[in-house]
């Protein structure tokens, strides 16, 4: 009951300080009233007592406190003042009594209201007590049974404990063995790595790492776990170092092991390819830097390279001196080729393994990047080099190295190597510009010091025998079967730029990446060929001749050249060539020009981007030679030259004079370089009549130009092959005009000899004394014919003396006698036109004199028919034409001068003044039309 009382009190104390209104009135309760209330009384009189609700609300909140240490007595005592007032104490007591009564009533009310619920709860409590009692009994019973079980199984549990201890000991022994195995892993790993069993090392490493992770609760194994992780990272780094060695030498077996190892490291093949690409780029940079660094000897340059951090490679390239540039370039190309070869073999291996397309695409993409990096390194070395002072052979060697490297790039990734081509083009343009100016000046010196004597060469000499044409022999034979060369490299054709051909043009089976797969590089040989001493003076059957050890292919080349020369010769020349193996007339200057042609062609072949400019400059050598020969040997031409010059020759000479030759020294301009007009050597005398005014020198000069023109014609198709199609029109114009005009030099130059070999004034003076007004024709010709024939006979004797010194071939002989015939026939017409009066008998006498001349001249000159005979015959026959037909004849025959026509009309119409005046007006009109 005490517990129940406390619960009720607790329930009361949990109520809110705000006391709710009570549901009953105080009037329902009647308490006896007492007038006096003592402090110790338990009741209070209800006189003027307030309502219960007000009393409840007036109770202080402290009385409802839930604190266990709350002391109500101290609380009330604490409210007493220092001076006690009994009445006040009584009043306070009364209030407290009232409050207590009201609270008691309230509690009682609440008890009454919850009486039934309280009883129900009390019954539940009793039920719980019964259940607790039953539980306690079951626990006692269980403990009793457990005690019995413990006594029965105590022996079995002892056996189990011993077995457990045994198992723990076995586990401890296994752990110790595993720890010992883990500690010996480092030695096993090094053995596997030394055997390049990278996959086995990684498998072992992962296995040990997994075991160490399992046993890391041991302190010694925990430390080993970190060591294994560090070893794994170091192994990855070692694999990366081995992978970097692939850049210099590709080993398929090692690479396959590396690939398997990377797969075991859970790295994708693409990531490995990216990593490998970085290694290749690094290898290219480091190798290039080291190679160039090894050729830099200047301490200042090395110091600047170490301190300047931006672009040390460029600084090193600028410090490579001229004397070591070529070895440096070759060494750089060699090491870069090894790197490129390694990547080429790497891609080939992947393609043979039939890898995934993304991997192949990645490899192909990196292919171009690697080559671009290679050509940038070489281009940097080229652009920072000063090649202006190089000799031609040295510069061609540089071109050969770059040309071969471009071939490697074409085969490597079908690259056109624009950077390389542009860098070598810049160097070549600068070099060739100065080189060509020097060659022109050199040619001028040769011409001014040339004695115009025949250079003794063997009868079978061809330009292909010259050392400068050695590298072109095979190409000149096979270029017709190859596609035309353009400014860029062909990726499908096999031309002279293909790697199937060596630097000297000889055919070699295979390609660079096959031929040098095991050892060597394309830059080991063929770039500095041993010069073979040429022998252009040896006889055809001389065993020591230049062709004594040449191949059959080269002999065929020579035979082709000889066939070409023979086919382009006249029938007379063919007959004489068949007997005398062809007489070649050329000078030392001609030979020098031929050598330069070979050098220019070498550069054209190696520099396709500027091949047209080089060939144009090569053509200028011929133009200057042609112009100089004409200037030297046609300057003393004493007769009118209008009919002696063909349109091609006149146009060519004018063009050369305007574009290439100058009277005064001029500095080079963007449009080209003009060379000072040459002067004939004072040692060459062209004034001696007994030597036919230097006919021997003139023959050598003219025929050497023609010989040089034939060499150009022989090379024409090859020149067209070297240049792009857009430039062929200019080249064809050069051949159709400049080259074809070489033969036309014979007429004015040989005419200069013929005009001075005859005393034309004496002949005309002798003709002026003839009386052409005879009535009957005598059987004897006039004396001026004997004078002319005597002059011809003297010329013949002197020509024979010249022929002893210089071979007078059929073309020269024919041209000379044609010039003599031209001079004599025109002189005869001139003499006939000066006749004041002439009868029909006089015309017959003219014909008799001319027939007499033709009869003797044909025997002396060996010409039949005599050239220009119609020129005289038509003029003489025109005297017999009627007046109407004569006017028509004058208009049709414009080859005669107006002076000749005036003389004709004056004699033909000497008795008809009106007709004579009309015909003279016709002549003047024809002359005016010709001038227009």
């Amino acid at each position: 009951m005490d517990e129940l009382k406390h619960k009720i009190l607790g329930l009361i104390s949990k109520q809110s300080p705000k006391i709710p209104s009570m549901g009953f009135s105080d009037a329902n309760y009647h308490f006896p009233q007492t007038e006096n209330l003592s402090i110790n009384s338990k009741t209070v009189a209800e006189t003027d007592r307030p309502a219960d609700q007000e009393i409840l609300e007036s109770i202080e909140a402290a009385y409802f406190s839930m604190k266990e240490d709350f002391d109500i007595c101290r609380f009330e005592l604490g409210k007493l003042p220092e001076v006690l007032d009994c009445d006040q104490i009584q009043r306070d007591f009364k209030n407290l009594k009232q409050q207590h009564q009201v609270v008691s009533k309230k509690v009682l009310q609440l008890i009454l209201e919850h009486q039934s619920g309280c009883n129900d709860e009390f019954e539940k409590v009793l039920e719980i007590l019964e259940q607790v009692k039953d539980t306690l009994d079951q626990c006692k019973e269980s403990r009793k049974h457990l005690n019995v079980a413990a006594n029965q199984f105590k022996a079995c549990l002892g056996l189990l404990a011993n077995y457990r201890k045994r198992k723990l000991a076995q586990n401890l022994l296994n752990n110790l063995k595993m720890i010992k195995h883990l500690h010996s892993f480092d030695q096993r790993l090094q053995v596997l790595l030394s055997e390049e069993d990278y996959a086995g090392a990684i498998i072992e490493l992962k296995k040990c790492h997994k075991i160490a992770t399992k046993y890391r609760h041991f302190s010694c194994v925990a430390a080993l776990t970190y060591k294994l992780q560090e070893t794994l990272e170091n192994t990855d780094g070692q694999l990366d170092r081995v992978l970097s060695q692939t850049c210099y030498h590709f080993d398929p077996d090692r690479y396959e092991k590396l690939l398997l190892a990377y797969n075991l490291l859970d790295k994708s093949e693409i990531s490995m390819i990216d990593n490998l690409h970085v290694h290749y780029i690094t290898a290219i940079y480091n190798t290039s830097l080291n190679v160039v660094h090894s050729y830099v000897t200047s301490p200042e340059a090395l110091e600047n390279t170490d301190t300047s951090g931006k672009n040390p490679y460029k600084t090193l390239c600028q410090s490579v001196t001229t004397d070591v540039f070529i070895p440096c370039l070759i060494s750089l190309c060699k090491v870069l080729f090894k790197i490129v070869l390694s990547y080429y073999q790497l891609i080939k291996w992947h393609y043979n393994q039939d890898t995934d397309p993304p991997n192949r695409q990645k490899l192909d993409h990196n292919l171009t990047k690697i080559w671009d990096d290679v050509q940038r390194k070489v281009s940097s070395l080229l652009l920072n080099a000063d090649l202006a002072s190089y000799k031609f052979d040295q510069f061609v060697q540089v071109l050969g190295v770059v040309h071969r490297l471009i071939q490697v790039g074409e085969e490597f990734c079908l690259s056109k190597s624009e950077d390389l081509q542009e860098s070598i083009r810049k160097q070549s343009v600068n070099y060739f510009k100065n080189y060509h100016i020097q060659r022109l000046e050199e040619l001028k010196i040769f011409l001014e010091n040339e004695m115009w004597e025949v250079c003794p060469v063997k009868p079978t000499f061809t330009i292909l025998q010259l050392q400068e044409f050695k590298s072109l022999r095979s190409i000149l034979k096979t270029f017709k079967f190859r596609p035309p060369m353009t400014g860029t490299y062909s990726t499908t054709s096999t031309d002279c730029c293909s790697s199937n051909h060596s630097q000297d043009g000889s055919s070699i089976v295979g390609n660079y990446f096959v031929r040098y797969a095991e050892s060597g590089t394309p830059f080991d040989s063929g770039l500095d060929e041993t010069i073979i001493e040429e022998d252009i003076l040896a006889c055809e059957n001389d065993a020591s001749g230049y062709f004594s050890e040449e191949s059959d292919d080269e002999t065929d080349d020579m035979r082709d050249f000889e066939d070409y020369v023979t086919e382009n010769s006249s029938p007379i020349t063919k007959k004489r060539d068949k007997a005398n193996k062809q007489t070649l007339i050329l000078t030392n200057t001609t030979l020098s020009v031929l050598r330069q042609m070979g050098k220019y062609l070498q550069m054209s072949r190696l520099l396709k981007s500027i091949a047209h400019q080089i060939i144009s400059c090569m053509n200028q050598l011929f133009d200057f030679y042609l112009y100089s020969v004409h200037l030297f040997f046609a300057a003393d031409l004493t007769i009118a030259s209008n009919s002696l010059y063909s349109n091609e020759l006149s146009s060519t000479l004018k063009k050369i004079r305007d574009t290439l030759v100058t009277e005064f020294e001029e500095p080079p301009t963007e449009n080209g370089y003009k060379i000072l007009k040459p002067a004939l050597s004072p040692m060459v005398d062209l004034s001696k009549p007994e030597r036919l005014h230097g006919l021997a020198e003139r023959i050598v000069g003219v025929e050497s130009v023609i010989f040089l023109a034939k060499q150009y014609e022989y090379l024409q198709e090859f020149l067209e092959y070297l240049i792009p199609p857009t430039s062929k029109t200019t080249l064809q114009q050069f051949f159709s005009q400049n080259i074809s005009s070489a033969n036309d030099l014979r007429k004015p130059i040989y005419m200069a000899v013929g005009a001075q070999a005859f005393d034309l004034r004496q002949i005309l003076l002798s003709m002026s004394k003839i009386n052409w007004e005879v009535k009957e024709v005598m059987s004897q010709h006039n004396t001026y014919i004997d004078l002319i024939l005597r002059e011809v006979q003297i010329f013949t004797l002197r020509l024979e003396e010249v022929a002893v010194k210089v071979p007078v071939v059929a073309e020269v002989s024919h041209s000379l006698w044609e010039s003599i015939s031209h001079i004599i026939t025109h002189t005869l017409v001139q003499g006939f036109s000066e006749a004041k009066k002439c009868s029909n008998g006089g015309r017959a006498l003219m014909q008799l004199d001319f027939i007499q001349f033709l009869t003797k001249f044909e025997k002396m000159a060996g010409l039949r028919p005599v050239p220009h005979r119609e020129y005289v015959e038509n003029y003489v026959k025109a005297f017999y034409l009627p007046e109407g037909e004569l006017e028509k004849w004058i208009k049709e025959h414009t080859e005669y001068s107006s002076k000749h026509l005036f003389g004709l009309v004056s004699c033909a119409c000497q008795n008809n003044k009106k007709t004579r005046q009309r015909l003279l007006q016709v002549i003047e009109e024809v002359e005016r039309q010709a001038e227009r």
Side-chain angles (χ1 to χ4, degrees):
M1 294 302 292
D2 292 336
E3 294 179 0
L4 180 61
K5 181 178 179 180
H6 286 297
K7 289 184 179 181
I8 294 173
L9 290 176
L11 180 62
I12 294 175
S13 63
K14 291 181 180 179
Q15 299 299 320
S16 172
K18 183 69 175 178
I19 306 297
S21 299
M22 304 181 109
F24 53 86
S25 173
D26 292 342
N28 296 328
Y29 300 93
H30 299 283
F31 299 94
Q33 298 182 353
T34 58
E35 294 181 0
N36 295 322
L37 181 62
S38 64
I39 295 174
N40 296 325
S41 65
K42 298 182 179 179
T43 61
V44 180
E46 296 185 0
T47 304
D48 300 328
R49 181 176 178 274
D52 291 343
Q53 185 63 31
E54 294 178 359
I55 293 173
L56 285 174
E57 294 176 355
S58 65
I59 296 174
E60 295 183 20
Y63 287 100
F64 298 98
S65 176
M66 299 296 294
K67 297 181 180 179
E68 295 182 356
D69 59 347
F70 178 70
D71 189 352
I72 190 172
C73 294
R74 290 186 178 278
F75 176 74
E76 288 296 336
L77 291 175
K79 295 192 296 182
L80 293 177
E82 295 181 358
V83 181
L84 300 176
D85 184 1
C86 292
D87 293 335
Q88 183 63 37
I89 293 172
Q90 287 293 335
R91 286 192 293 275
D92 292 340
F93 177 76
K94 181 179 178 180
N95 289 334
L96 291 172
K97 281 292 187 180
Q98 288 179 350
Q99 292 175 356
H100 181 267
Q101 290 176 359
V102 171
V103 170
S104 299
K105 287 197 288 186
K106 184 64 175 179
V107 169
L108 181 59
Q109 181 181 359
L110 291 174
I111 292 173
L112 293 176
E113 291 177 356
H114 297 86
Q115 183 67 43
S116 58
C118 182
N119 293 335
D120 294 337
E121 291 295 327
F122 188 73
E123 290 179 358
K124 292 180 180 179
V125 170
L126 294 177
E127 184 177 355
I128 292 172
L129 288 175
E130 290 295 332
Q131 294 177 356
V132 170
K133 183 179 179 182
D134 294 340
T135 303
L136 182 60
D137 293 339
Q138 291 178 2
C139 288
K140 289 179 179 181
E141 186 68 22
S142 298
R143 287 178 183 273
K144 182 180 179 181
H145 291 301
L146 287 174
N147 190 24
V148 173
N151 293 331
Q152 292 178 351
F153 294 99
K154 185 175 183 180
C156 295
L157 292 176
L159 293 175
L160 293 174
N162 293 333
Y163 180 77
R164 178 176 174 274
K165 291 178 182 180
R166 179 185 174 186
K167 296 300 293 182
L168 291 174
Q170 290 179 346
N171 291 337
L172 178 59
L173 182 60
N174 292 334
N175 291 338
L176 292 174
K177 291 180 179 179
M178 188 58 65
I179 292 172
K180 181 180 179 181
H181 179 75
L182 290 175
H183 278 279
S184 64
F185 162 73
D186 190 49
Q187 297 179 355
R188 300 194 308 276
L189 180 64
Q190 296 303 324
V191 172
L192 292 173
L193 291 178
S194 64
E195 296 175 353
E196 296 187 353
D197 187 5
Y198 307 112
I202 294 174
I203 292 174
E204 185 70 17
L205 182 60
K206 285 189 172 184
K207 180 180 178 182
C208 291
H209 188 271
K210 183 177 180 182
I211 296 173
T213 304
K214 181 178 179 181
Y215 292 95
R216 66 180 305 160
H217 52 277
F218 298 106
S219 59
C220 60
V221 177
L224 182 62
T225 303
Y226 297 106
K227 183 178 180 181
L228 290 174
Q229 182 64 32
E230 183 179 354
T231 304
L232 182 62
E233 294 176 358
N234 293 337
T235 303
D236 191 7
Q238 186 171 353
L239 288 176
D240 197 59
R241 287 192 295 273
V242 176
L243 186 64
S244 65
Q245 297 174 3
T246 306
C247 301
Y248 303 96
H249 175 68
F250 179 76
D251 187 346
D253 296 333
R254 173 183 282 189
Y255 183 76
E256 191 170 3
K257 293 178 181 178
L258 287 172
L259 191 61
L260 180 59
Y262 270 89
N263 290 334
L264 292 174
L265 289 175
D266 298 329
K267 293 185 177 181
S268 64
E269 191 172 342
I270 290 183
S271 65
M272 178 182 173
I273 292 174
D274 291 336
N275 192 23
L276 195 58
H277 174 67
V278 174
H279 282 305
Y280 271 98
I281 297 300
T282 304
I284 292 172
Y285 176 80
N286 293 336
T287 303
S288 303
L289 192 66
N290 294 335
V291 169
V292 177
H293 188 275
S294 65
Y295 284 91
V296 177
T297 57
S298 173
E300 296 80 5
L302 295 174
E303 183 178 355
N304 294 335
T305 303
D306 295 335
T307 56
S308 61
K310 289 188 177 180
N311 195 346
Y313 180 75
K314 182 178 180 180
T315 305
L316 285 174
C317 292
Q318 294 172 347
S319 304
V320 176
T321 56
T322 305
D323 56 331
V324 297
F325 172 77
I326 293 179
C328 179
L329 176 63
I330 294 176
S331 298
L332 180 61
C333 291
K334 285 182 179 180
V335 295
L336 291 179
F337 174 78
K338 287 294 185 182
I339 295 175
V340 170
L341 173 64
S342 173
Y343 196 82
Y344 179 87
Q345 293 173 337
L346 169 70
I347 293 181
K348 184 178 180 181
W349 183 88
H350 275 277
Y351 271 78
N352 292 337
Q353 297 297 321
D354 194 18
T355 56
D356 296 334
N359 296 340
R360 279 184 280 181
Q361 292 177 0
K362 192 75 173 178
L363 288 169
D364 291 339
H365 182 66
N366 293 338
L367 193 77
T368 304
K369 289 184 177 180
I370 288 175
W371 181 249
D372 288 343
D373 204 48
V374 167
Q375 63 172 320
R376 276 195 295 269
K377 296 304 178 187
V378 180
S379 297
S380 180
L381 181 61
L382 286 171
L383 292 176
N384 289 283
D386 183 14
L387 307 180
S389 61
Y390 269 20
K391 295 180 180 179
F392 177 81
D393 293 338
Q394 293 176 317
F395 189 76
V396 168
Q397 188 176 2
V398 173
L399 293 182
V401 174
V402 177
H403 177 73
R404 185 159 293 184
L405 186 62
I406 292 174
Q407 293 177 356
V408 172
E410 180 185 6
E411 184 180 337
F412 180 63
C413 60
L414 301 180
S415 172
K416 299 176 182 178
S417 302
E418 288 85 357
D419 290 347
L420 271 178
Q421 292 199 55
E422 180 61 21
S423 60
I424 197 61
R425 188 194 68 82
K426 290 180 179 179
Q427 286 284 21
S428 301
V429 168
N430 296 331
Y431 179 86
F432 186 75
K433 182 178 180 181
N434 296 328
Y435 179 81
H436 180 59
I437 293 175
Q438 294 173 2
R439 299 293 75 76
L440 284 175
E441 294 291 346
E442 182 182 89
L443 178 58
K444 177 176 178 291
I445 295 174
F446 269 94
L447 291 169
E448 290 181 336
N449 292 274
E450 178 63 60
M451 298 303 297
W452 303 104
E453 296 178 352
V454 177
C455 178
V457 297
K458 60 183 179 180
T460 57
F461 167 75
T462 70
I463 57 174
L464 301 181
Q465 294 176 354
L466 297 175
Q467 178 64 28
E468 288 76 10
F469 283 86
K470 178 182 178 183
S471 63
L472 302 171
R473 293 174 195 159
S474 177
I475 301 171
L476 286 171
K477 181 179 180 181
T478 60
F479 76 91
K480 297 180 181 179
F481 306 103
R482 302 173 185 167
M485 296 175 67
T486 60
T488 57
Y489 283 95
S490 174
T491 58
T492 58
S493 63
T494 306
D495 59 8
C496 61
C497 298
S498 173
S499 59
N500 291 332
H501 299 271
S502 67
Q503 190 66 18
D504 62 355
S506 60
S507 299
I508 296 179
V509 178
N511 53 54
Y512 292 130
F513 294 106
V514 173
R515 286 152 44 196
Y516 302 101
E518 299 298 331
S519 63
T521 70
F523 308 95
D524 294 335
S525 62
L527 298 173
D528 189 15
E529 300 170 343
T530 302
I531 298 178
I532 302 174
E533 293 296 333
E534 59 191 14
D535 184 7
I536 61 175
L537 301 178
C539 297
E540 182 179 13
N541 298 324
D542 190 352
S544 62
Y546 182 79
F547 295 103
S548 59
E549 297 185 8
E550 291 291 337
S551 65
D552 293 339
D553 291 340
E554 292 170 341
T555 305
D556 292 341
D557 292 339
M558 307 309 152
R559 190 177 299 111
D560 292 341
F561 180 85
E562 293 173 2
D563 293 342
Y564 172 82
V565 174
T566 303
E567 290 173 3
N568 288 271
S569 301
S570 64
I572 299 176
T573 305
K574 292 180 182 179
K575 183 177 180 181
R576 182 170 298 185
D577 289 344
K578 186 175 182 181
N580 300 326
K581 300 294 184 181
Q582 185 182 9
T583 301
L584 301 181
I585 300 178
L586 67 155
T587 64
N588 288 325
T589 304
T590 312
L591 200 60
S592 175
V593 174
L594 293 175
R595 293 184 186 278
Q596 294 302 328
M597 288 170 59
K599 293 179 178 180
Y600 279 50
L601 290 178
Q602 289 181 46
M603 296 185 69
S604 300
R605 174 174 165 261
L606 298 175
L607 294 171
K608 297 182 296 299
S609 58
I610 61 172
H612 174 61
Q613 294 88 325
I614 296 175
I615 293 176
S616 297
C617 291
M618 184 185 77
N619 296 341
Q620 284 185 354
L621 299 178
F622 175 82
D623 288 342
F624 189 68
Y625 194 104
L626 171 73
Y627 180 85
S628 301
V629 170
H630 175 268
L631 179 67
F632 294 162
F633 301 119
D636 55 351
L637 184 62
T638 58
I639 64 173
S641 59
N642 295 335
S643 61
L644 301 178
Y645 287 86
S646 63
N647 295 331
E648 291 80 6
L649 181 59
S650 298
S651 176
T652 298
L653 293 174
K654 183 179 183 304
K655 182 179 179 181
I656 297 173
R657 183 171 55 252
D658 295 340
T659 60
L660 187 60
V661 182
T662 178
E663 296 286 342
F664 307 98
E665 292 187 2
E666 297 180 8
T669 62
E670 295 181 357
N671 297 328
Y673 172 76
K674 286 188 176 183
I675 187 170
L676 193 64
K677 183 172 69 173
L680 181 65
S681 172
M683 300 296 292
V684 179
D685 189 1
L686 304 180
S687 60
K688 293 182 178 180
E690 63 273 13
R691 298 180 58 185
L692 291 180
H693 301 277
L695 177 60
E697 289 80 1
R698 296 176 197 261
I699 291 176
V700 173
V702 174
E703 298 308 313
S704 65
V705 174
I706 295 174
F707 175 82
L708 185 60
K710 289 182 179 180
Q711 316 313 307
Y712 273 86
E713 290 176 350
Y714 173 70
L715 297 172
Q716 180 177 359
E717 293 185 2
F718 181 62
L719 296 179
E720 294 178 352
Y721 168 77
L722 289 175
I723 63 176
T726 54
S727 304
K728 287 185 179 180
T729 303
T730 305
L731 183 63
Q732 291 171 354
Q733 183 180 1
F734 168 78
F735 277 93
S736 62
Q737 181 172 312
N738 299 40
I739 296 297
S740 64
S741 62
N743 289 320
D744 299 336
L745 273 178
R746 286 172 173 160
K747 184 174 290 188
I749 292 178
Y750 294 155
M751 184 64 72
V753 174
Q756 298 180 78
F758 291 83
D759 190 351
L760 302 181
R761 180 176 299 180
Q762 184 64 32
I763 295 174
L764 291 175
L765 181 61
S766 178
M767 293 181 67
S768 65
K769 298 178 180 180
I770 304 300
N771 181 18
W772 301 108
E773 250 185 331
V774 296
K775 296 182 179 179
E776 295 179 358
V777 180
M778 298 181 293
S779 60
Q780 183 65 29
H781 61 271
N782 289 308
T783 57
Y784 73 90
I785 295 297
D786 296 330
L787 177 64
I788 294 175
L789 292 175
R790 186 166 57 252
E791 294 282 351
V792 172
Q793 188 176 9
I794 295 173
F795 178 84
T796 304
L797 295 175
R798 291 175 177 176
L799 181 60
E800 291 176 355
E801 295 178 359
V802 171
V804 174
K805 183 179 180 180
V806 177
V808 181
V809 296
E811 292 88 346
V812 176
S813 178
H814 183 275
S815 180
L816 281 170
W817 286 112
E818 182 183 5
S819 300
I820 300 301
S821 176
H822 178 90
I823 292 172
I824 294 176
T825 53
H826 282 67
T827 302
L828 291 175
V829 171
Q830 178 69 21
F832 294 157
S833 66
E834 291 178 355
K836 302 300 181 181
K837 295 181 179 180
C838 183
S839 63
N840 291 335
R843 305 303 170 213
L845 183 58
M846 290 180 181
Q847 287 182 331
L848 176 64
D849 290 343
F850 185 62
I851 292 174
Q852 182 66 24
F853 165 77
L854 289 179
T855 304
K856 300 292 181 65
F857 186 79
E858 284 181 351
K859 295 179 181 180
M860 295 180 182
L863 295 179
R864 185 171 299 194
V866 175
H868 306 288
R869 63 179 298 174
E870 295 84 359
Y871 187 78
V872 179
E873 291 176 346
N874 291 335
Y875 186 81
V876 175
K877 292 178 180 178
F879 284 99
Y880 300 101
L881 294 175
E883 295 179 357
E885 295 184 5
L886 182 58
E887 180 180 353
K888 181 180 178 182
W889 185 92
I890 292 173
K891 292 181 179 179
E892 292 177 350
H893 290 75
T894 57
E895 66 270 20
Y896 299 96
S897 66
S898 58
K899 184 178 179 181
H900 295 163
L901 297 176
F902 285 153
L904 173 64
V905 171
S906 298
C907 289
C909 305
Q910 56 186 353
N911 298 324
N912 192 338
K913 184 178 180 180
K914 182 177 180 181
T915 303
R916 183 172 67 250
Q917 292 295 331
R918 182 174 59 82
L919 292 176
L920 292 177
Q921 292 177 355
V922 171
I923 295 172
E924 292 177 354
E925 180 64 24
V926 171
E927 185 178 7
R928 285 194 297 268
Q929 292 179 356
E931 291 177 354
R932 295 175 186 175

